[in-house]
Amino acid sequence: MSWHLRYIYIYMYGYILYYRSLPPVAKTYTVACLMTTVAFHMELYEVSNIALYYSDVFKRFQVWRLITNFFFLGGFSLPFGFRILTILYYGVSLERGAFDKRTADYVWMFVFGAISLLVMAAIPLLWSPFKGPAMVFMIVYVWSRENPNARVNIQGLVEIKGFYLPWVMLGIDTILGHPWMPAIQGIAAGHIYYFCTVLYPLSTGKNYFKTPLWVHKLVAFWGEGYQLNAPVRQDPDAGVAFRGRSYRLGGPSRGSARPPGSSSTSSAQEGPNGPAQPTGNTADGVAFRGRSHRLGAR
């Protein structure tokens, strides 16, 4: 193998290791957004077929539009690359930090944000065909609330606190000529989620928007990630060809039955002078138990 092929192999192997190290939720969303744009540039579909049009959803039952519109971040361009890097940095940091070992809660954050953005899109003034950019801003907003004092360097020019990051990104989008509406909707959806799941439960002790059971079941069925104190878990017997019943050596045989109320330990009969010694056949599997005497004693 020549040196340049070996260099390419090492370079690609590093990317494979990086991909495998990513947490499951952020990785899945990033890959979905990337593959949607790749398929668009390969002209495998028309972009209008995945856009959010409520008329097609309700009249033609094209319900996939409620989901696919979140995966399109635009064509290959500088803004597209910036949004992908934002998910890979802040989305991964959020999943490894505030949502560490809380995969179902992190999935619920995406679902909650998607529902909030879909409700906003029902208002004609707030409608847009694709909500992917707004979802990216929601991720950034939740990260900023979970890491308000983190130091963020903006293009090596200025350093700010993490709490102000969404607003600085909104200003950068304004300078680049991007519309305000996706950013504002993403910030609003992130604030609604953070208020309903963090601020309100902390102030009242009541959580009406905790992660639903079906999300826990979905994560358990998916088999990726980990959820602390999950109400459901994966089948522990999955992949086991045979699991028999174990018995302790010297314990009661499978066919022996004990009368109700009897203890599993050796039973003692009560005598007139106090508790009697256990009988030979009930002494915890010992065939014979005699009386011991100390040498030299009378």
Side-chain angles (χ1 to χ4, degrees):
M1 181 182 294
S2 59
W3 66 269
H4 57 279
L5 293 178
R6 184 176 302 174
Y7 179 78
I8 294 175
Y9 173 78
I10 296 175
Y11 192 73
M12 294 301 297
Y13 186 70
Y15 273 106
I16 294 174
L17 292 179
Y18 171 73
Y19 172 79
R20 292 180 176 178
S21 67
L22 294 175
V25 181
K27 176 171 64 176
T28 301
Y29 185 62
T30 303
V31 171
C33 294
L34 183 61
M35 296 307 297
T36 301
T37 299
V38 170
F40 167 70
H41 278 273
M42 295 178 64
E43 299 182 354
L44 298 180
Y45 67 93
E46 293 291 337
V47 70
S48 59
N49 292 332
I50 64 172
L52 178 61
Y53 295 114
Y54 280 114
S55 58
D56 292 333
V57 172
F58 294 108
K59 293 181 180 179
R60 300 181 181 180
F61 302 102
Q62 298 179 357
V63 294
W64 65 82
R65 296 177 180 273
L66 299 175
I67 301 176
T68 55
N69 73 93
F70 291 100
F71 298 145
F72 189 73
L73 300 179
F76 284 122
S77 60
L78 184 61
F80 170 81
F82 182 73
R83 289 162 182 163
I84 289 292
L85 292 177
T86 300
I87 300 173
L88 287 176
Y89 185 81
Y90 296 105
V92 170
S93 176
L94 196 61
E95 188 170 359
R96 288 175 174 170
F99 290 91
D100 184 33
K101 297 181 180 179
R102 296 169 53 206
T103 306
D105 294 340
Y106 196 48
V107 173
W108 174 237
M109 187 201 77
F110 277 86
V111 175
F112 189 100
I115 294 175
S116 301
L117 292 172
L118 291 175
V119 172
M120 295 179 192
I123 304 174
L125 184 62
L126 302 179
W127 175 85
S128 60
F130 301 103
K131 295 297 182 181
M135 182 64 74
V136 174
F137 264 90
M138 177 192 169
I139 295 173
V140 173
Y141 181 85
V142 176
W143 182 91
S144 69
R145 295 306 301 266
E146 294 289 352
N147 303 273
N149 296 319
R151 309 302 297 183
V152 181
N153 192 291
I154 304 297
Q155 303 297 326
L157 301 176
V158 63
E159 190 177 78
I160 63 172
K161 286 187 176 182
F163 183 82
Y164 303 106
L165 179 62
W167 311 105
V168 173
M169 291 183 59
L170 175 60
I172 294 176
D173 274 10
T174 302
I175 295 175
L176 297 178
H178 300 158
W180 285 8
M181 194 59 65
I184 294 177
Q185 290 184 16
I187 292 174
H191 182 73
I192 293 172
Y193 167 80
Y194 194 76
F195 175 81
C196 293
T197 61
V198 179
L199 298 181
Y200 184 79
L202 286 177
S203 61
T204 63
K206 300 178 181 179
N207 188 1
Y208 297 108
F209 296 94
K210 63 181 179 180
T211 305
L213 180 61
W214 67 268
V215 178
H216 287 282
K217 291 182 178 180
L218 178 64
V219 172
F221 178 79
W222 186 19
E224 295 289 341
Y226 181 74
Q227 180 74 15
L228 289 175
N229 301 325
V232 295
R233 60 185 179 88
Q234 297 181 3
D235 184 9
D237 296 338
V240 179
F242 174 78
R243 185 181 295 273
R245 181 178 298 177
S246 61
Y247 297 96
R248 189 178 61 179
L249 292 177
S253 62
R254 181 176 181 180
S256 62
R258 295 182 179 270
S262 63
S263 173
S264 59
T265 60
S266 59
S267 61
Q269 299 178 355
E270 192 74 18
N273 297 325
Q277 294 295 330
T279 58
N281 57 352
T282 58
D284 294 335
V286 179
F288 175 80
R289 185 185 297 271
R291 181 176 299 178
S292 61
H293 299 277
R294 189 175 57 181
L295 293 178
R298 293 182 179 179

